[in-house]
């Protein structure tokens, strides 16, 4: 996997959000999006509460891990006002086998249920199945994070199974990882479903954005 090519995309733009590669100088704009502890509840890393801590988190997420599995983190920006509302990451890209995982995603709590998550997923999946030509995209979710599991099912992703005692949470407890995936032949139907959800949930013109 260390030898897999990893293309560097331009900004990826959807109906509600734009995604660009995350940089350390984005640290000043991002802490507000993670200020609510509920936003960070199921993350495997400590919640950054200052600009310095966010910068350190970004540096850590940009590093190549010891196994050589690179990650490609993105800043998520709301198109209506250019506000930084969160982040999401592609990792474990394997071009030979045509697969990747999406994770380490968070959104400002004020943006929940308004189509931003769905639009972000649609943008990334279009990139994965289109530009990268992949055949499989996977997600892993904490077994106690029922909200995210329900959201993935609602968007059309398929439950695959559960890895028991797969990771250690920041509080030291063990978590099971619930796996979902989407295959390239399932993408057209999922794309249509995501666009329906974006249309139904998107803030109306003139409505407040936070």
């Amino acid at each position: 996997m260390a030898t897999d090519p990893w293309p560097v995309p331009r900004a990826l733009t959807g109906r509600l959000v734009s995604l660009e590669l995350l940089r350390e100088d984005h640290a000043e704009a991002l802490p507000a999006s993670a200020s609510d502890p509920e936003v960070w509840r199921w993350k495997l890393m400590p919640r950054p509460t200052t600009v310095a801590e966010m910068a350190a988190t970004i540096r850590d997420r940009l590093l190549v891990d010891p196994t050589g599995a690179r990650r490609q983190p993105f800043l998520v920006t709301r198109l209506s006002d250019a506000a930084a509302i969160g982040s999401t990451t592609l990792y474990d890209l394997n071009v030979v086998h045509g697969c990747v995982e999406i994770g380490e995603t968070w959104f400002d709590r004020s943006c929940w249920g308004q189509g931003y998550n769905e639009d972000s997923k649609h943008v990334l999946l279009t990139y994965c199945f289109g530009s990268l030509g992949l055949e499989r995209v996977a997600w892993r979710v904490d077994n106690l994070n029922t909200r995210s599991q329900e959201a993935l099912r609602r968007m059309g992703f398929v439950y695959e199974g559960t890895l028991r005692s797969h990771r250690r949470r920041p509080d030291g407890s063990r978590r099971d990882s619930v796996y979902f995936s989407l295959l390239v032949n399932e993408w057209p139907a999922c794309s249509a479903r995501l666009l329906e959800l974006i249309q139904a949930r998107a803030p109306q013109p003139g409505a407040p954005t936070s």
Side-chain angles (χ1 to χ4, degrees):
M1 294 179 63
T3 60
D4 284 343
W6 186 267
V8 178
R10 297 177 181 270
L12 307 173
T13 302
R15 296 189 176 189
L16 303 176
V17 301
S18 177
L19 277 62
E20 62 178 294
L21 289 178
L22 190 63
R23 305 187 308 269
E24 191 173 338
D25 61 4
H26 289 140
E28 188 170 351
L30 270 174
S33 68
S35 61
D36 189 327
E38 186 64 20
V39 170
W40 213 263
R41 183 177 180 184
W42 305 110
K43 299 291 177 287
L44 292 173
M45 50 191 172
R47 181 171 66 90
T49 59
T50 66
V51 171
E53 289 175 355
M54 182 61 77
T57 297
I58 292 172
R59 284 195 300 273
D60 290 343
R61 297 174 74 202
L62 288 171
L63 292 177
V64 178
D65 71 27
T67 68
R70 295 182 62 185
R71 56 184 57 227
Q72 199 170 65
F74 293 88
L75 173 75
V76 182
T77 301
R78 184 166 51 206
L79 289 176
S80 62
D81 60 0
I85 61 171
S87 180
T88 190
T89 298
L90 293 176
Y91 58 95
D92 286 357
L93 172 71
N94 190 313
V95 173
V96 174
H97 294 290
C99 57
V100 76
E101 291 199 26
I102 296 177
E104 295 181 356
T105 301
W106 80 84
F107 287 93
D108 190 302
R109 193 169 183 177
S110 68
C111 296
W112 289 8
Q114 297 185 58
Y116 298 108
N117 181 34
E118 290 83 357
D119 196 39
S120 171
K121 291 287 193 297
H122 192 270
V123 168
L124 276 184
L125 289 167
T126 299
Y127 172 57
C128 289
F129 291 125
S131 299
L132 298 183
L134 303 180
E135 297 186 34
R136 167 188 163 85
V137 180
W139 293 260
R140 65 177 84 152
V141 183
D142 191 302
N143 62 295
L144 298 183
N145 187 358
T146 56
R147 183 180 181 276
S148 288
Q149 293 174 51
E150 290 168 0
L152 288 168
R153 288 189 171 95
R154 182 171 57 249
M155 289 185 278
F157 307 136
V158 178
Y159 168 73
E160 290 191 324
T162 300
L163 300 184
R164 298 179 301 162
S165 193
H166 185 230
R167 289 289 189 271
R168 189 182 302 279
R169 300 185 182 98
D171 66 3
S173 62
R174 302 290 302 185
R175 81 168 211 184
D176 298 344
S177 291
V178 182
Y179 263 86
F180 292 82
S181 70
L182 191 73
L183 305 183
V184 65
N185 63 299
E186 298 164 342
W187 167 231
C190 178
S191 174
R193 177 59 178 154
L194 285 169
L195 291 174
E196 289 175 357
L197 289 168
I198 294 164
Q199 180 66 30
R201 292 180 164 219
Q204 296 301 308
T209 56
S210 62

